[in-house]
């Protein structure tokens, strides 16, 4: 599989990336190299290999799933432009 210059322009357009005409041929080569590498990876026999999320087995420590208010509402509200009765006050947006 390879991409042509029109495909490079289309991908750049869809990605909202500004690409000059001088960059198109360079990017075409890079994209084709990436696709060739992916095709090469597809040739590797992975039969019997367990899918994994990291190269070493690891488990993340979990904390208790408990809802808290952070125990310092005054410090949080100190950053608010306007607060009333312990809540953020915002302008009315719906009439």
């Amino acid at each position: 599989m390879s991409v042509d210059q029109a495909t490079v322009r289309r991908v750049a357009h869809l990605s909202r990336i500004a690409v000059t005409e001088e960059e198109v041929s360079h990017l075409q080569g890079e994209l084709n190299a990436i696709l060739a590498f992916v095709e090469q990876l597809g040739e590797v026999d992975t039969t019997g290999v367990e899918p994994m999320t990291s190269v070493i087995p690891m488990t993340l420590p979990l904390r208790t799933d408990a809802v808290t208010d952070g125990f310092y509402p005054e410090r949080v509200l100190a950053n608010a432009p306007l607060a009333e009765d312990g809540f953020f006050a915002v302008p009315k947006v719906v009439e």
Side-chain angles (χ1 to χ4, degrees):
M1 174 185 232
S2 65
V3 296
D4 57 5
Q5 292 190 355
T7 303
V8 172
R9 288 185 195 96
R10 177 151 175 78
V11 169
H13 175 73
L14 293 173
S15 305
R16 298 179 189 260
I17 298 172
V19 176
T20 63
E21 284 301 315
E22 294 79 29
E23 295 172 317
V24 169
S25 62
H26 174 72
L27 292 173
Q28 179 186 11
E30 286 192 5
L31 287 173
N32 284 330
I34 291 169
L35 291 173
F37 182 69
V38 170
E39 285 180 3
Q40 187 180 4
L41 288 176
E43 297 171 1
V44 175
D45 182 18
T46 57
T47 305
V49 177
E50 291 289 323
M52 55 189 197
T53 58
S54 66
V55 292
I56 57 172
M58 54 190 292
T59 57
L60 296 175
L62 300 176
R63 62 173 169 76
T64 304
D65 189 17
V67 177
T68 68
D69 62 358
F71 304 113
Y72 43 84
E74 297 83 18
R75 289 174 48 195
V76 173
L77 289 175
N79 293 324
L82 183 60
E84 291 180 13
D85 300 326
F87 296 98
F88 289 94
V90 295
K92 188 175 183 178
V93 294
V94 177
E95 296 295 327

